[in-house]
Amino acid sequence: LGHDLAWDGNVGTDGQHTLACSRCDHTEKADCNIVNGKCSVCGYEQKPAGETVTYLDRNWDETNKKVVEKLETAQAAEIDSNTVSLEGGWYVVDGNITVNNRIVVNGTPDNPTRIILADGCKLTASSGITVNSDKALVIYGQTGETGILEAIGGDNAAGVGGQSGAAGGTVIVNGGTVNATGGRNSAGIG
């Protein structure tokens, strides 16, 4: 017989909770299902914004008809390999991180999800990033512009954007390098 696994009743740590077999002593870890910053199974809360991170902001100066760059800071939570949902607010990629599940952006145009790609760091979203039509994502780099986002969409899913025929939301790339590859019949970004 296989294992009959269910949540063991304890709040998870580091984005994972424990599943226990009802017939034996077998246990295994499972990724938390983060919805609105909290696991819908065990109650684990995604790390709040913590470290101060610098980023390069760019805006269009309509008067002088040029892009103006300004170094800014933000309190940002780190994205880790267990990240599956990003609320409105600031996040940083600080290291070489691979997320195997599709990341869902829940930031809105009024409170977008903002990702800072730290210099020398890379986020690989191997199942892509969902930005639905009513959501917003802004990607920033740092002064060296060496941070990378690699997003690969699955079948009928954009690398960054909509999936299964749904329209994508607002995606603004303000810095860093974004390599987005759409799945079959899908855009890289869109």
Side-chain angles (χ1 to χ4, degrees), residues 77-183:
E78 284 189 36
I79 294 175
D80 62 29
S81 62
N82 297 309
T83 300
V84 294
S85 176
L86 296 171
E87 304 308 310
W90 290 91
Y91 300 87
V92 62
V93 176
D94 191 14
N96 291 320
I97 309 297
T98 298
V99 178
N100 292 319
N101 294 313
R102 190 161 178 90
I103 299 169
V104 177
V105 166
N106 291 312
T108 63
D110 292 334
N111 183 26
T113 298
R114 295 174 169 102
I115 298 175
I116 300 168
L117 302 172
D119 282 338
C121 298
K122 180 178 181 180
L123 171 60
T124 302
S126 60
S127 296
I129 299 174
T130 297
V131 184
N132 288 321
S133 61
D134 59 342
K135 305 301 180 190
L137 170 65
V138 184
I139 300 167
Y140 297 89
Q142 292 185 313
T143 55
E145 292 290 352
T146 60
I148 299 170
L149 167 61
E150 181 92 25
I152 303 118
D155 279 349
N156 300 311
V160 178
Q163 59 182 353
S164 299
T170 301
V171 177
I172 298 171
V173 179
N174 223 351
T177 299
V178 177
N179 300 316
T181 305

Side-chain angles (χ1 to χ4, degrees), residues 44-58:
Y44 166 80
E45 293 189 40
Q46 199 170 37
K47 290 186 277 187
E51 69 179 281
T52 301
V53 181
T54 59
Y55 67 96
L56 194 56
D57 194 13
R58 292 184 170 97

Side-chain angles (χ1 to χ4, degrees), residues 6-12 17-20 41-43:
W7 171 51
D8 72 354
N10 296 309
V11 174
H17 50 252
T18 303
L19 302 177
V41 175
C42 72

